[in-house]
C-alpha cells in the first residue's frame, strides 16, 4: 500500500539485538583468525631458529656411569642398532612365560658385567610359598616341590647391584598333559634314530606342548655334552627368535648362530 499513513511494521527489539550479535560475532571471528595466522607464522620462525634437541641430551648422563665403573652400556659398543635394553639387569632367559614338564627346571639369566652372585627366588602363586637360593654364574637347575603339576610360579633373579630384579613366570603342565607328552615321545622316538634325531623330536614335542623351557634345557644339555654339533646352536637360536623376540637386544640368537658358523654351518633365518 502506498498510503502516506502506512509504515512498515517495526521489528521486535529481541530480533534487532540478535542480528547485531551475529554481525559482531562474525567480525570478531574473522579478526581472530587473521591474528592467529600471524602469530603462528611468527612462532614457527622463532622455533626454527633454535637447534633441534638431541635425544642424547634428554637421557641419563653416561659420564657418571663410566666414572663409577658399575654400569655397562645398554647396547653394543659403537652404536645401538637395536632397541635399548638395560644390561645391568639379570633378565630371565628361561623359564620365560612357559609351561614346564617333569621334575627338572633350568633357570638361566643374562649375566651383567662384574656380577657373579645372584639370589634366585621362586614364589608359588597359589599360597605365596617361597624358595630362595644364592648362587654364582648365569644358571641354576632346580628340582623340588615347586614343580608339582598345575603349579604357577614366579621366578626372580636379583643381582644386588641396585637395579631391578629379572623376573618371569612359568606354569607346570597337568599330570594328564605330561602323560600325553611322554606317550607321544615313546611313540615317535624309535631305537633306530640317532641321538641327535631323537633329541630334535623331543625338543619339537616340548615346543608343541608350549614347554619352551624344557626345549631350551634339553638343547643346553646336548651342547654341554656334544658341543661340536652346529645344528644344536641353530635350533636353540631358532627357539629364541621365535618365542622370545623381546630378548633380541641381548644378542642370544646371534651369538648362537656365530658359534654354529664357527663349526661350519649357516643357520636358516626364521
Amino acid at each position: 500500500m502506498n498510503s502516506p499513513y502506512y509504515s512498515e511494521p517495526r521489528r521486535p527489539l529481541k530480533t534487532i539485538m540478535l542480528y547485531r550479535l551475529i554481525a559482531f560475532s562474525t567480525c570478531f571471528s574473522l579478526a581472530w583468525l587473521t591474528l592467529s595466522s600471524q602469530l603462528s607464522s611468527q612462532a614457527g620462525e622463532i622455533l626454527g631458529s633454535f637447534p633441534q634437541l638431541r635425544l642424547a641430551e634428554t637421557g641419563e648422563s653416561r659420564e657418571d656411569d663410566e666414572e663409577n665403573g658399575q654400569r655397562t652400556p645398554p647396547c653394543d659398543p659403537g652404536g645401538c642398532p637395536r632397541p635399548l635394553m638395560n644390561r645391568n639387569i639379570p633378565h630371565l632367559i628361561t623359564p620365560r612365560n612357559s609351561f614346564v614338564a617333569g621334575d627338572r627346571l633350568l633357570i638361566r639369566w643374562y649375566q651383567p658385567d662384574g656380577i657373579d652372585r645372584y639370589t634366585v627366588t621362586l614364589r608359588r602363586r597359589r599360597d605365596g610359598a617361597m624358595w630362595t637360593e644364592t648362587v654364582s654364574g648365569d644358571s641354576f637347575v632346580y628340582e623340588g616341590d615347586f614343580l608339582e603339576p598345575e603349579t604357577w610360579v614366579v621366578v626372580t633373579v636379583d643381582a644386588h647391584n641396585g637395579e631391578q630384579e629379572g623376573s618371569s613366570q612359568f606354569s607346570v603342565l597337568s599330570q594328564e598333559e605330561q602323560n600325553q607328552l611322554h606317550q607321544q615321545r615313546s611313540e615317535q622316538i624309535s631305537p633306530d634314530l640317532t641321538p641327535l634325531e631323537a633329541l630334535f623330536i623331543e625338543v619339537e614335542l616340548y615346543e608343541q606342548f608350549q614347554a619352551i623351557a624344557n626345549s631350551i634345557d634339553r638343547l643346553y644339555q646336548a651342547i654341554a655334552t656334544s658341543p661340536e654339533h652346529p645344528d644344536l646352536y641353530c635350533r636353540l637360536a631358532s627357539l629364541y627368535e621365535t618365542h622370545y623376540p623381546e630378548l633380541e637386544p641381548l644378542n642370544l640368537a646371534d651369538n648362537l648362530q656365530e658359534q654354529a658358523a664357527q663349526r661350519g654351518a649357516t643357520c636358516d633365518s626364521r
Side-chain angles (χ1 to χ4, degrees), residues 2-3 17 30 36 58 69 85 87 94 106 109 140 147 172 177 187 194 202 207 209 214 217:
N2 296 325
S3 171
M17 294 298 294
L30 291 175
S36 298
T58 63
M85 176 175 274
R87 297 196 177 191
T94 185
L106 171 65
W109 55 90
F140 179 79
L147 296 179
V172 183
E177 290 171 318
E187 293 174 351
T194 66
E202 187 177 11
E207 189 175 14
F209 279 80
N214 291 85
D217 186 11

Side-chain angles (χ1 to χ4, degrees), residues 124-164:
R124 192 161 50 201
R125 295 291 297 270
R126 181 176 67 246
D127 55 8
M130 298 180 64
W131 173 93
T132 300
E133 184 78 16
T134 300
V135 301
S136 60
D138 62 356
S139 63
F140 179 79
V141 174
Y142 171 82
E143 297 172 312
D145 297 337
F146 281 48
L147 296 179
E148 296 176 352
E150 301 184 71
T151 302
W152 186 8
V153 181
V154 175
V155 187
T156 61
V157 177
D158 191 350
H160 302 288
N161 60 348
E163 297 286 351
Q164 70 184 61

Side-chain angles (χ1 to χ4, degrees), residues 244-256:
Y244 304 129
E246 69 274 13
L247 295 178
E248 184 179 2
L250 297 180
N251 300 327
L252 299 175
D254 288 348
N255 292 338
L256 290 165

Side-chain angles (χ1 to χ4, degrees), residues 10 21 35 48 71-72 75 87 89 91 108 153 190 209 249 265:
R10 298 183 63 183
L21 180 60
L35 179 61
R71 297 176 62 89
T72 56
C75 56
R87 297 196 177 191
I89 296 175
H91 301 281
R108 196 176 187 93
V153 181
S190 58
F209 279 80

Side-chain angles (χ1 to χ4, degrees), residues 39 52-53 63 68 93 97 99 114 121 129 132 135 145 150 170 173-174 178 193 223 230 265 270:
L39 291 175
Q52 186 176 8
L53 185 64
E63 296 178 356
N68 61 40
I93 295 175
N97 301 323
F99 284 103
T121 301
T132 300
V135 301
D145 297 337
E150 301 184 71
F170 68 89
L173 289 173
S174 68
Q178 295 194 50
L193 295 176
I223 288 174
R270 64 178 170 150

Side-chain angles (χ1 to χ4, degrees), residues 3-269:
S3 171
Y5 299 102
Y6 174 79
S7 62
E8 186 176 354
R10 298 183 63 183
R11 296 176 178 173
L13 180 60
K14 291 183 179 180
T15 303
I16 296 175
M17 294 298 294
L18 178 61
Y19 287 163
R20 290 179 178 177
L21 180 60
I22 293 174
F24 175 78
S25 299
T26 302
C27 293
F28 179 79
S29 299
L30 291 175
W32 174 253
L33 289 174
T34 302
L35 179 61
S36 298
S37 177
Q38 294 175 352
L39 291 175
S40 299
S41 177
Q42 294 176 1
E45 294 176 358
I46 294 174
L47 291 175
S49 64
F50 286 95
Q52 186 176 8
L53 185 64
R54 292 176 298 172
L55 293 177
E57 296 174 347
T58 63
E60 296 180 354
S61 173
R62 294 188 178 182
E63 296 178 356
D64 295 340
D65 296 342
E66 294 173 357
E67 289 178 359
N68 61 40
Q70 296 182 2
R71 297 176 62 89
T72 56
C75 56
D76 294 330
C80 298
R82 297 178 175 177
L84 299 182
M85 176 175 274
N86 189 343
R87 297 196 177 191
N88 300 289
I89 296 175
H91 301 281
L92 253 297
I93 295 175
T94 185
R96 189 175 182 86
N97 301 323
S98 168
F99 284 103
V100 172
D103 54 3
R104 171 191 165 96
L105 173 68
L106 171 65
I107 305 172
R108 196 176 187 93
W109 55 90
Y110 175 78
Q111 189 172 19
D113 290 343
I115 307 296
D116 190 57
R117 300 291 288 176
Y118 303 86
T119 298
V120 180
T121 301
L122 304 182
R123 180 172 60 84
R124 192 161 50 201
R125 295 291 297 270
R126 181 176 67 246
D127 55 8
M130 298 180 64
W131 173 93
T132 300
E133 184 78 16
T134 300
V135 301
S136 60
D138 62 356
S139 63
F140 179 79
V141 174
Y142 171 82
E143 297 172 312
D145 297 337
F146 281 48
L147 296 179
E148 296 176 352
E150 301 184 71
T151 302
W152 186 8
V153 181
V154 175
V155 187
T156 61
V157 177
D158 191 350
H160 302 288
N161 60 348
E163 297 286 351
Q164 70 184 61
E165 301 171 335
S167 64
S168 190
Q169 58 187 346
F170 68 89
S171 181
V172 183
L173 289 173
S174 68
Q175 190 60 58
E176 180 181 358
E177 290 171 318
Q178 295 194 50
N179 292 339
Q180 293 175 0
L181 191 154
H182 293 319
Q183 181 178 355
Q184 292 186 32
R185 181 170 56 186
S186 62
E187 293 174 351
Q188 297 185 32
I189 298 179
S190 58
D192 58 328
L193 295 176
T194 66
L196 194 60
E197 293 172 336
L199 171 68
F200 286 151
I201 290 176
E202 187 177 11
V203 168
E204 181 70 24
L205 280 174
Y206 280 128
E207 189 175 14
Q208 291 176 8
F209 279 80
Q210 301 181 45
I212 311 303
N214 291 85
S215 296
I216 292 175
D217 186 11
R218 290 294 293 116
L219 287 168
Y220 274 120
Q221 290 182 63
I223 288 174
T225 57
S226 304
E228 71 278 5
H229 291 297
D231 290 344
L232 297 174
Y233 301 89
C234 291
R235 187 67 179 91
L236 186 54
S238 175
L239 285 175
Y240 284 132
E241 288 182 326
T242 302
H243 298 283
Y244 304 129
E246 69 274 13
L247 295 178
E248 184 179 2
L250 297 180
N251 300 327
L252 299 175
D254 288 348
N255 292 338
L256 290 165
Q257 291 169 354
E258 289 177 4
Q259 294 184 60
Q262 293 172 4
R263 290 160 176 81
T266 301
C267 300
D268 295 330
S269 62

